[in-house]
Structures are given as C-alpha cells and as structure tokens.
C-alpha cells in the first residue's frame, strides 16, 4: 500500500503508513472509510432463490397478536421491521407497511373493547393513525387500503368488516 501524500492519509491495520505491504485480513483505511483486504477470492456460493426477502436474525418480532375467527380459524399477525405478515393456518400473507399497520390498529381496538359491536374504527381515526402520503387523506384513501388488504387475504378477505358511516373492524377475537 503506497500513500501518495493524500490529505486524509492511509492506514493499514490501524497504523498510518506511506509505504506498507498489506496482508490478508488487514484493515485498510482511507480517511473515514475502511475496508478489509483479502488476497484470495472468497469461495463462490449459490445465491439464494426466492422472493428477495431477508429474514430477521433470531426470528425477532416487534409485535405479535394471536386471533381466532368466528369459525375457529387461528390467525397470527407478526411484525417484522416495518412490514409484517398474517399466518392463517399453513398459509402466510405478506403485508406491506400500511397494510400491516391497518390490521394492527384494528386488532388493538378489538383488544381494548370487549363488545365487538363497539370495536369499529372510523376512517378518520385510521387516516390519523397511519402515515398516508397524500396531503389530505380522505375516506377513499382508507377504503382503497382496506380493499387492497382484502384482496391479499383472498378467501379470508371477510376478516375486515366495514359498516357504512361507522367504520371498520376485525372479525376475529384476540386470544
């Protein structure tokens, strides 16, 4: 490693150098940027296949809710970094950030209110609680989000019930 009188200097293994041999595993730093040097190529590996998602280390979950539908189907809502998923028996439904946030909001309302008839969340409460990108969120933005989640849930789309001029609720009981 030869430093040509650079302004920030060069370091090898933590020592400032002007002319220094570099060995495998040494740290080379140029100013605030550091690299590891390997004199041999790393062995090639088969790249992972799939949907391109990275699993969290150790299976860490920041939110988990277990629910049961009126027909007795068990559900588990799990949050990952920002997004999440809903497990329905052996199926897994991937949820984007806003979709997960909607389901979590509905589940938390249902947890706080024992009588499901009063567990509805009005569209403006959903709009206030979630980070919509539009300047003025209206009922149509919330309605489209609910429809998107229902489409993802497929045959279980009835999990979210809507009542005109009242709001939305989850059709499952937290366990």
């Amino acid at each position: 490693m030869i430093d040509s009188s650079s302004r920030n200097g060069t370091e090898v293994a933590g020592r400032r150098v002007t002319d220094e041999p570099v060995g495998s595993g040494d740290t080379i730093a140029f100013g605030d940027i550091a690299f590891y040097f390997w004199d041999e190529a790393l062995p090639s590996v088969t790249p992972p296949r799939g949907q391109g998602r990275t699993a969290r280390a150790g299976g860490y979950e920041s939110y988990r809710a277990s629910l049961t539908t009126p027909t007795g189907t068990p559900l588990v809502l799990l949050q990952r970094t920002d997004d999440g998923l809903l497990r329905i028996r052996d199926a897994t439904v991937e949820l984007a950030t806003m979709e997960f946030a909607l389901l979590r909001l509905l589940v938390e309302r249902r947890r706080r209110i024992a009588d499901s008839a009063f567990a509805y969340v009005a569209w403006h409460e959903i709009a206030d609680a979630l980070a919509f990108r539009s300047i003025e969120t209206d009922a149509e933005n919330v309605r489209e989000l609910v429809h998107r989640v229902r489409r993802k849930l497929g045959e279980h789309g009835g999990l979210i019930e809507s009542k005109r001029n009242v709001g939305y609720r989850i059709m499952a009981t937290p366990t």
Side-chain angles (χ1 to χ4, degrees):
M1 177 67 48
I2 298 173
D3 180 64
S4 300
S5 302
S6 64
R7 186 178 296 171
N8 292 322
T10 302
E11 292 182 3
V12 173
R15 295 181 323 273
R16 191 164 186 136
V17 299
T18 55
D19 187 356
E20 178 83 18
V22 180
S24 186
D26 280 347
T27 305
I28 304 169
F30 307 102
D32 293 335
I33 308 298
F35 302 92
Y36 286 103
F37 175 78
W38 298 104
D39 58 358
E40 294 179 15
L42 295 174
S44 65
V45 294
T46 305
R49 301 284 183 238
Q51 297 180 352
R53 292 204 157 275
T54 303
R56 294 182 122 197
Y60 176 78
E61 301 159 3
S62 57
Y63 178 83
R64 179 187 184 98
S66 297
L67 307 141
T68 306
T69 66
T71 60
T73 303
L75 309 171
V76 178
L77 184 64
L78 298 164
Q79 183 175 9
R80 293 184 292 211
T81 305
D82 289 321
D83 61 355
L85 52 93
L86 180 66
R87 289 198 179 125
I88 306 168
R89 290 195 180 113
D90 294 333
T92 299
V93 178
E94 298 280 338
L95 300 166
T97 302
M98 292 285 285
E99 298 163 348
F100 175 81
L102 170 68
L103 286 178
R104 181 176 178 169
L105 181 67
L106 298 176
V107 167
E108 288 305 309
R109 175 63 59 93
R110 184 65 181 92
R111 275 187 173 162
R112 285 192 311 274
I113 299 177
D115 187 346
S116 66
F118 297 103
Y120 286 93
V121 182
W123 75 264
H124 58 85
E125 292 177 86
I126 295 170
D128 289 345
L130 304 183
F132 282 90
R133 289 192 177 136
S134 40
I135 294 172
E136 277 195 44
T137 306
D138 61 11
E140 187 58 33
N141 297 110
V142 173
R143 188 176 306 116
E144 178 53 36
L145 174 62
V146 170
H147 286 299
R148 193 168 67 228
V149 173
R150 283 179 174 156
R151 282 191 302 270
K152 276 194 169 182
L153 296 178
E155 66 182 79
H156 301 286
L159 185 61
I160 301 175
E161 182 187 37
S162 57
K163 193 171 193 178
R164 191 173 191 81
N165 297 323
V166 177
Y168 303 91
R169 72 174 173 178
I170 193 91
M171 294 299 297
T173 306
T175 53

